[in-house]
Amino acid sequence: MSAQAVRAFMSIGEVLGQLQAEFPDVTVSKIRFLEGEGLIEPQRSPSGYRKFTYNDVERLRYILRAQRDQYLPLRVIKDQLDGQVARPQSVSDGPPAVRLSRDELIEAAGIDEETLAEMESFGLVAPVARRYDGEALEIARSVGALARFGLRARHLRAVRALVEREAGLIEQAVAPVLRRKATGAIAEADETAREMSGLLQELHNALLRSSVRGVLGQ
């Protein structure tokens, strides 16, 4: 075997070193567990040692990010990975879009059917082609967490109304840009919308903190 071929593989310890900067809690046992669950399939040397490729490491990154950022169960992550076209993944490739069935959303968000039905009835989430995206998952997780404090979807209509009003403000700001129909207008409008969204979120958070301090008499 050539030196170039040897360098194409990494040991499990080297993989751990690649991942721990972003995932400090990852361990050798965790990697072995994911292998046992069928999410990764590293090659083996004749003596039985695991040999990881660059693609194995990128696959692990996606799995760990999906668990950390989206709270997806391993079964859903595996289904998403198995649904991808088998090809080397570029560093610039993002993870596949979240597309969950009704049952998968309920499981991933930790809610029940009644809560999801209530969320849909008040316009908090809605499936597209009978599938739910990553934003629907985030909303469902938040609604499920707020339920612990006695808040149900029907109590959150005011939040939905506020968001729609803020979206209206952004629409007013980007409308003149879009009307120009010039090259790059859509990109400029998108950048403006993102910047305004961030600023409105910061303003909302500051106002909410101030109001809460008032409620607590601080």
Side-chain angles (χ1 to χ4, degrees):
M1 183 180 292
S2 69
Q4 183 177 3
V6 171
R7 287 195 297 272
F9 296 102
M10 290 172 274
S11 69
I12 194 168
E14 290 171 325
V15 170
L16 193 65
Q18 292 274 331
L19 296 173
Q20 280 189 322
E22 183 176 357
F23 309 99
D25 295 333
V26 71
T27 62
V28 168
S29 296
K30 172 73 170 182
I31 296 173
R32 289 173 176 162
F33 170 76
L34 293 173
E35 180 187 2
E37 293 295 308
L39 280 93
I40 55 171
E41 296 180 2
Q43 299 179 40
R44 293 274 183 163
S45 69
S47 55
Y49 290 104
R50 294 171 178 83
K51 301 192 302 179
F52 293 85
T53 65
Y54 170 79
N55 284 343
D56 291 326
V57 176
E58 291 307 300
R59 189 176 174 97
L60 278 166
R61 288 189 197 279
Y62 171 66
I63 294 166
L64 295 170
R65 285 171 181 159
Q67 284 189 301
R68 180 193 65 193
D69 301 339
Q70 302 174 4
Y71 300 93
L72 294 179
L74 290 179
R75 178 179 60 79
V76 173
I77 297 172
K78 187 174 188 300
D79 287 345
Q80 290 181 352
L81 288 168
D82 290 345
Q84 288 183 273
V85 177
R87 61 176 178 82
Q89 187 178 35
S90 166
V91 174
S92 63
D93 289 343
V98 175
R99 304 291 293 168
L100 303 178
S101 68
R102 191 175 189 83
D103 289 341
E104 288 171 342
L105 178 66
I106 288 171
E107 180 182 353
I111 59 176
D112 54 29
E113 171 64 36
E114 179 184 357
T115 299
L116 179 54
E118 188 179 22
M119 289 167 57
E120 290 176 328
S121 69
F122 290 109
L124 297 178
V125 297
V128 177
R130 303 181 66 179
R131 292 282 169 173
Y132 299 85
D133 60 15
E135 290 179 352
L137 176 58
E138 290 184 21
I139 293 169
R141 284 204 314 264
S142 297
V143 172
L146 287 168
R148 294 186 287 114
F149 302 97
L151 295 179
R152 303 289 298 180
R154 62 181 178 275
H155 301 126
L156 303 175
R157 285 178 294 181
V159 177
R160 175 69 181 180
L162 173 61
V163 169
E164 290 177 347
R165 288 196 294 271
E166 291 177 341
L169 294 175
I170 294 173
E171 182 180 10
Q172 290 177 24
V174 302
V177 179
L178 293 174
R179 281 198 294 267
R180 292 206 304 262
K181 298 184 183 299
T183 302
I186 294 177
E188 182 182 347
D190 180 69
E191 183 178 353
T192 299
R194 289 176 184 273
E195 183 177 2
M196 288 188 65
S197 295
L199 292 171
L200 286 169
Q201 186 64 55
E202 291 176 7
L203 175 61
H204 175 84
N205 291 342
L207 290 172
L208 182 59
R209 286 194 300 269
S210 177
S211 295
V212 170
R213 284 197 299 270
V215 170
L216 299 176
Q218 296 178 351

